[in-house]
Amino acid sequence: MAQRRSLSPVLHASGIPSPGVSPTRPVVGSPNKRRRLLRETEDESGVLSIEDYNYRGDAYRSSNMPTKYPLPMNTEDPDPELERLLASKGDLSGQIASLLQVHHIECNTIEFCFVSKPGYPAEGDKARPAVSIWVDIKDLVSAASLPAARRDISDMLEENGLGDMVVDIQDPARAYLPCIYPIRSTEPQTQLYRRVRESLLRVVTTDIPRLWLTLGLHYVGSSYGGAIPAVALVVHPLATHDWQDLRQKLMGIIEVHRPQHMVLDVEIFPGYRGDLSPQPSPARDLRDTFTPAPKMGASIGVVGEQGAGTLGGFFTLKIGETIREGFLTSSHVVGPPDDSPQEVHDRYSKHGVRWDTPEDHATKTKVQYLALEDNIETMESCYNESRRLTGFVDSDGNQRKGVIKEIEEKIQQCKLIGKDSTYWHQEKALAEATVQDLWDKYLCLEKMPQKLGSTVFASGQAVIRNKKKIMDWAFVSCAGHSPSVKNTCSALYDPKLGNVLPSPAHMKSEKLNPEMYFTHTPSYLPRDDLRPRRDFGSIEPDQWYFKVGRTTGITAGICNGIETYVNTMATRYVHDRQGKVVIGVTNPDPETKEDPDYTEEWVIINAHSDIRIFTEHQTFCLDGDSGSLIIDIQGRVCGLLFGSISGWQGPRVPVRQSSDPNTPSPNVMQSRSYSDDGMGGKYMEAGLVMDIGDVVADIATRALRPPQGVCAVLDLP
């Protein structure tokens, strides 16, 4: 296996490079300041792809990739053929280091590998042979030498018959990596943004109506310590425009109101918006969390369909005099099967499902636990793990020793030398108990998926016109299939989740300060600090929330201090309660004089605190988490997760992948259970959430509609 060659001691033991800034706001001369100066040059002007625009403004990276994919890149070990070729060329790393030295560039590491940007358009999935070089840029003179150094290295490789090899040089602590962090509602920049955001939106919707995805105010930077307040405009990958001109227009609006001492920038970068739809979500191995009865955060899917979502939590729905027991999730999780006629999809999108819709209507789907692909994946995992413990006969007919047999041999060795074997007896008992548990789960999974119930009330793809909020909820009735598990918080906590939940000291503060959360290492929450409540809360800025999702489990984050504009025109149609299209049309509604092409949504952002690297953006949700309940410090249900936004960004150290499928990394299970986004990389996603109060009001309003208007009340069981 090829290793990144270290040429300098600046890397921590974790392999993460030392940041070039302190965990305070950037000083003059920082990468953010230098990047702003570069963006005033003519090199940034004219019509460019968003990738080229950001690349040209990055003084800390030089690459000859055809498409300048945003960092970080995914890296894989070279295959045997490439390793043999490299070995035949002598000391290439030494030659590269010498060339960098000629240009007075301090080199940290050199790695020959395959690079890709999984999921990204323009052949991002294609793995290209590359040399990835990490350097430490001390000043702009060294930065200005990067392109010449990269060309010299490319020429040297071409002379050695490696002309098709990508050369990517970067200072990983300073290169452009615009992750977003929450900004407080009380920040001066937030108050200024409130005054100008409508003007900013008007410019964006006029200049790039179909290219933008979200527009909001955040702290933006590779880490929270180096982030600055910025208006973050996220656009589609490969979008072309005169981005410098657009940025200058937005900055011009800000400059009219900005005090001289205030720092407020504009950042434009590629990203994506996910509805966390069940369709693209990869199968999950849920053996560690599987229980025979479903609970909050469980995997669910439509009967007979691929795709998975999350069982949010159990509720009662009183319609007239009838009380139904069931659970809440997102509308798009339990939509009609893919092979349904188009008119069925259109009807579900426009009207959702009414409570009085006939039981056999095509829009009323049957929902199961687990999702089909998760059921299969979890069964295979239980079977394979039990074989690893007990032993098995391989495809060549050879008997493979299991872990239990190896432990028994250890016990025999201890007896022969008179050594105490208590430890190994305990290990054997644990392994045997694990095998029994695995087979119990396997036998249970053989009888699954099990039907939970039917969708009886759903919003479809709706919007609250007067609030410009998306509604994406569904109530699934468990009549005849009532689960034995109700909402419970006591079963949610495990010391393994300590990197997510904040310490009790943070919990006791009346107003949770995001800066406190991001500058302390969180610890797990004691069981008694959070109790289930029978009332609802609400989504509020600056507050801490957590969710339990099918894909990422328990994750926590801070609600951004101000709502984010979301462009829904280019992504999907959204309808009002009467089924009229209000999102996805080009022109404003002539009757209401409203621009219907955006909504204003709350965003929850997660981050991980580490004393060595300050704070880095972490995933709050991934595909398959849609439908998760949003819960506050007091244990109250406050909202429902329905989507996500991301900037194609992740940690500064990419996910390592072995080229040998038979030798996965030691932490492969941990990676799959928390960080894998199904694209092969780690892209940090923030959550788009609905307020539970809006969901409750929407249910009540829809039930009152004729011809059979009745009162409807959603409540906790």
Side-chain angles (χ1 to χ4, degrees), residues 14 19 65 81 107 132 327 422 436 451 459 492 507 543 565 580 634 641:
S14 64
M65 260 203 161
E81 181 180 354
C107 181
S132 174
F327 60 86
T422 302
Q436 184 60 52
K451 180 182 173 184
S459 64
L492 298 180
M507 301 285 287
Q543 297 302 297
Y565 289 123
K580 183 178 180 181
Q634 298 172 314
L641 178 72

Side-chain angles (χ1 to χ4, degrees), residues 383 387 391-400 662:
Y383 177 74
R387 292 209 316 162
F392 62 95
V393 177
D394 64 20
S395 57
D396 296 327
N398 301 316
Q399 179 67 41
R400 298 287 186 176
N662 297 316

Side-chain angles (χ1 to χ4, degrees), residues 47 84 90 96 102-103 125 201 239 242 260 284 321 332 357-358 441 443 473 479 563 582-583 640 695:
V47 176
R84 286 193 296 269
I96 291 172
V102 169
H103 292 276
D125 291 311
L201 178 66
D242 189 337
Q260 186 174 1
R284 311 296 294 188
E321 299 301 319
H332 68 265
T357 301
K441 288 180 178 179
L443 294 174
W473 55 264
E563 293 153 305
V582 293
I583 298 293
L640 193 69
V695 174

Side-chain angles (χ1 to χ4, degrees), residues 208-243:
I208 51 170
R210 293 187 178 274
L211 297 182
W212 73 284
L213 292 169
T214 64
L215 177 68
L217 181 70
H218 306 280
Y219 276 108
V220 180
S222 62
S223 69
Y224 187 65
I228 62 172
V231 175
L233 174 59
V234 181
V235 301
H236 284 288
L238 308 182
T240 58
H241 189 69
D242 189 337
W243 301 111

Side-chain angles (χ1 to χ4, degrees), residues 4 82 101 106 109 117 158 165 172 234 285 379 383 464 490 520 522 543 616 651:
R4 180 177 286 274
L82 180 57
Q101 190 174 13
E106 182 178 328
T109 64
K117 187 69 175 178
E158 186 170 7
M165 180 164 284
V234 181
D285 172 13
M379 281 184 66
Y383 177 74
I464 304 176
S490 62
H520 292 75
Q543 297 302 297
E616 291 196 338

Side-chain angles (χ1 to χ4, degrees), residues 515-535:
E515 207 154 19
M516 284 179 58
Y517 176 66
F518 287 146
T519 55
H520 292 75
T521 301
S523 60
Y524 77 94
L525 191 68
R527 188 186 302 270
D528 294 337
D529 277 69
L530 189 65
R531 293 178 292 276
R533 298 278 294 269
R534 289 193 56 80
D535 56 342

Side-chain angles (χ1 to χ4, degrees), residues 16 81 85 126 222 265 376 520 550 555 584 590 601 606 618 630 637 653:
I16 298 175
E81 181 180 354
L85 179 60
K126 181 180 178 180
S222 62
D265 204 354
I376 296 171
H520 292 75
R550 165 262 186 189
T555 56
E601 308 296 345
N606 185 13
Q618 295 288 295
I630 305 299
V637 175
V653 177

